Amino acid sequence: MKHDRNISGFTLFELVTVIAVISIIVLISSPFLASLLKQNEANKLYYSLKPILTDARTQAYSLHHAVGLCGSNDGSTCNNDWNKGIITFLDHNQNRALDADDQVLSYHSLSLKYGILAWRGAGLSRASVLLFEPERGRLNMSNGSFWYCADEAKWHRLVILATMGHSRPSKDNNGDGIHETASGVNISC
């Protein structure tokens, strides 16, 4: 009785070699992948915030009520945590607070992982709630910016907000790899 043993497969040595090569490729590419994820989050920030800001401005004008924006980590309270999300609400008494009788219009989850988002401005802009006026949908404060501060200066970003409610992203105008503020100074967090 003759058995034909034509068995095909991988040897243990071949399997270990393939796993070692894949491990080396992953090890070499992981810093690039991490940098790519940080760049993606920094670059998409403006495109995440612009529709929220535009919608709040439009709602204030069209509903003829003041609309507030605040940072929130739970979607129901304003706690100045802009990293997790943003609440848009009708501020009936225009006190810059989400009261029990105010209506939440929407909650936008951001879940930022590689940087910290904060609102900074002058005068009333230091308030933790941005308020769009019902008459023209403009901000009830002076100019300000959302600051995105990452672990590397090249990923710092601003979303600059004018009193009229229009927003624009920061840019690297001098070509040094670091975005500048509205006054032309490198963003420093």
Side-chain angles (χ1 to χ4, degrees), residues 65-82:
H65 279 76
V67 173
L69 250 72
C70 65
S72 176
N73 62 0
D74 61 7
S76 60
T77 58
C78 293
N79 51 27
N80 210 22
D81 188 353
W82 298 94

Side-chain angles (χ1 to χ4, degrees), residues 89-133:
F89 65 96
L90 290 179
D91 192 0
H92 294 293
N93 58 4
Q94 298 186 24
N95 66 345
R96 295 181 189 274
L98 179 56
D99 301 320
D101 63 331
D102 290 335
Q103 177 187 353
V104 173
L105 298 173
S106 60
Y107 175 70
H108 306 273
S109 178
L110 293 178
S111 299
L112 301 175
K113 296 178 181 133
Y114 303 105
I116 297 170
L117 184 65
W119 168 255
R120 294 186 196 172
L124 286 177
S125 298
R126 295 190 187 276
S128 60
V129 174
L130 282 72
L131 193 64
F132 288 89
E133 296 176 341

Side-chain angles (χ1 to χ4, degrees), residues 89-184:
F89 65 96
L90 290 179
D91 192 0
H92 294 293
N93 58 4
Q94 298 186 24
N95 66 345
R96 295 181 189 274
L98 179 56
D99 301 320
D101 63 331
D102 290 335
Q103 177 187 353
V104 173
L105 298 173
S106 60
Y107 175 70
H108 306 273
S109 178
L110 293 178
S111 299
L112 301 175
K113 296 178 181 133
Y114 303 105
I116 297 170
L117 184 65
W119 168 255
R120 294 186 196 172
L124 286 177
S125 298
R126 295 190 187 276
S128 60
V129 174
L130 282 72
L131 193 64
F132 288 89
E133 296 176 341
E135 294 81 33
R136 287 183 246 160
R138 65 182 205 167
L139 280 176
N140 183 356
M141 58 182 61
S142 62
N143 297 342
S145 300
F146 282 100
W147 288 64
Y148 176 78
C149 297
D151 58 348
E152 295 178 60
K154 66 182 179 180
W155 306 129
H156 296 338
R157 298 289 187 269
L158 294 181
V159 175
I160 303 162
L161 198 55
T163 305
M164 292 304 293
H166 300 285
S167 61
R168 65 181 173 89
S170 59
K171 294 182 180 176
D172 176 20
N173 292 320
N174 62 8
D176 67 352
I178 300 173
H179 281 223
E180 289 88 32
T181 64
S183 59

